[in-house]
Amino acid sequence: MQNDFAIETRGLNFSFSGSAYVVEDLSLQVPMGSIYGFLGPNGAGKTTTMKLLCGMMPGKHDNVFLLGQRLDLSMPDIFKEVGTLIEMPSLYLNLTAYDNLRHLCVLKGLDKSLINPVLETVGLSYTGRKPAKAFSLGMKQRLGIATAIIHKPKLLMLDEPVNGLDPAGIVEIRNLLIRLKEEYGITIFISSHLLAEIERTCDHIGIIHRGKLRYQGSMDDLLSRPGLSKEVLFQVADAPAAAEKLLPIFPALKVVNQHSLQLNIDEHVQVSDINRKLVELSVPVEGIDVKKGLEEWFMNLTNEK
């Protein structure tokens, strides 16, 4: 058993009452120190997998390993080093953020001196006497994460942590998770159906569809895989005028707006070569934004047909 993985499963299977597998032959490898995005469409088996990892589902757990320990041999002590937030956070809505955490410290036998630093970490130290029922959805989610990290875990597992949040709330959670990894060294395992958010947050990724793992690897490896096209936006002073010069050479070029040109290229074409050609044609480039064609690739991978 390697200790390089915060989470490892070996051919994990699960079904409800003898029906078809909800999770089938699942072999996850979540590196220590990573933010691992567990991605899949709704109904793919993400939440069931999360519950299996937490020992919340019936059956064997001898092929699930957390922090190098076999789950069936290490429960419940292993969860002194693991934090979990599955589905919606369980909060006392009439209590303040501080009192929610104080109650949890009493239940877990933790020192109350941990509370204020955790509230500071999740950005809720300013809430004072405001009850949790008056919190925004994003604030409730951050308080839920606070309950999962109050005991300073090495591993944090979150099920759809930005589901239902507005754009500002999503950014808050994203920045918090990156901070937890970089400043506190916590390995984070996130399930989500939001490709764009996983791409911005995670350095490793696993894609599940119909209970089966369809892809697993680093985000860098995914972005460099053959056949993955790039959408490149070139910022220029006058896009329509530049397009007149460029269309004979780049017929797929599109004018996005007065200052942006869009070109889709494959992995064999270098953005730097295109930029050099634009300069040669007296089209100075003020900025370049490269977007990989992950969404189309993901949709093809999880296509129901």
Side-chain angles (χ1 to χ4, degrees):
M1 174 64 194
Q2 298 186 50
N3 292 326
D4 296 336
F5 301 122
I7 299 173
E8 185 177 9
T9 65
R10 300 175 178 176
L12 183 63
N13 294 299
F14 183 80
S15 64
F16 292 100
S17 301
S19 60
Y21 283 126
V22 180
V23 174
E24 184 175 357
D25 195 29
L26 188 70
S27 295
L28 292 172
Q29 293 183 328
V30 178
M32 288 283 195
S34 67
I35 302 181
Y36 186 107
F38 190 47
L39 184 68
N42 290 329
K46 300 187 302 296
T47 297
T48 299
T49 300
M50 296 285 282
K51 290 181 177 180
L52 288 167
L53 295 177
C54 296
M56 297 168 63
M57 305 294 277
K60 291 184 176 181
H61 301 95
D62 59 352
N63 53 355
V64 176
F65 300 85
L66 301 181
L67 301 173
Q69 300 181 53
R70 209 172 89 181
L71 183 59
D72 62 332
L73 300 179
S74 58
M75 287 195 297
D77 289 344
I78 186 62
F79 290 100
K80 294 177 181 178
E81 299 183 289
V82 178
T84 63
L85 183 57
I86 309 298
E87 298 177 330
M88 294 298 293
S90 297
L91 304 174
Y92 294 96
L93 296 180
N94 289 322
L95 299 182
T96 66
Y98 183 94
D99 286 340
N100 265 277
L101 295 182
R102 182 172 63 85
H103 182 72
L104 188 61
C105 285
V106 171
L107 290 176
K108 292 191 171 186
L110 301 173
D111 197 295
K112 289 185 290 185
S113 64
L114 297 170
I115 297 174
N116 284 326
V118 168
L119 289 175
E120 182 72 29
T121 296
V122 301
L124 291 176
S125 57
Y126 66 90
T127 54
R129 302 308 303 170
K130 179 187 289 188
K133 65 183 177 183
F135 287 6
S136 68
L137 186 58
M139 292 168 68
K140 290 176 182 175
Q141 194 69 3
R142 282 186 279 139
L143 180 55
I145 292 175
T147 66
I149 64 172
I150 186 71
H151 58 299
K152 298 182 178 181
K154 296 178 181 177
L155 170 64
L156 177 62
M157 294 191 282
L158 305 173
D159 184 27
E160 301 275 7
V162 300
N163 198 26
L165 299 187
D166 61 20
I170 289 174
V171 172
E172 289 176 356
I173 298 298
R174 181 199 310 157
N175 292 339
L176 171 59
L177 297 181
I178 292 172
R179 185 181 175 204
L180 290 176
K181 175 204 168 183
E182 294 182 348
E183 296 185 16
Y184 299 91
I186 299 176
T187 302
I188 304 174
F189 182 80
I190 313 168
S191 77
S192 180
H193 64 278
L194 302 175
L195 173 60
E197 192 54 33
I198 289 295
E199 184 181 356
R200 291 185 179 97
T201 308
C202 301
D203 46 52
H204 285 73
I205 186 172
I207 297 176
I208 187 174
H209 182 52
R210 291 186 171 181
K212 294 183 179 181
L213 194 64
R214 303 303 176 97
Y215 176 85
Q216 180 170 241
S218 72
M219 190 63 74
D220 287 343
D221 288 344
L222 175 57
L223 293 176
S224 62
R225 65 185 287 115
L228 194 65
S229 64
K230 305 171 190 174
E231 178 186 286
V232 188
L233 290 177
F234 295 94
Q235 304 298 324
V236 297
D238 189 341
E244 290 184 11
K245 297 181 180 180
L246 300 172
L247 280 171
I249 303 171
F250 305 113
L253 189 75
K254 296 179 181 178
V255 177
V256 178
N257 54 45
Q258 184 63 31
H259 301 291
S260 298
L261 298 169
Q262 177 184 313
L263 186 63
N264 291 333
I265 61 177
D266 63 28
E267 75 276 9
H268 303 297
V269 179
Q270 298 297 317
V271 176
S272 58
D273 293 339
I274 297 176
N275 183 46
R276 189 178 304 111
K277 189 63 178 178
L278 297 183
V279 174
E280 290 173 0
L281 294 170
S282 300
V283 181
V285 177
E286 299 174 354
I288 300 175
D289 183 20
V290 180
K291 298 181 179 180
K292 301 284 187 175
L294 283 178
E295 184 172 352
E296 181 180 358
W297 175 82
F298 173 71
M299 294 303 294
N300 289 334
L301 187 68
T302 58
N303 190 298
E304 289 298 327
K305 296 178 183 179

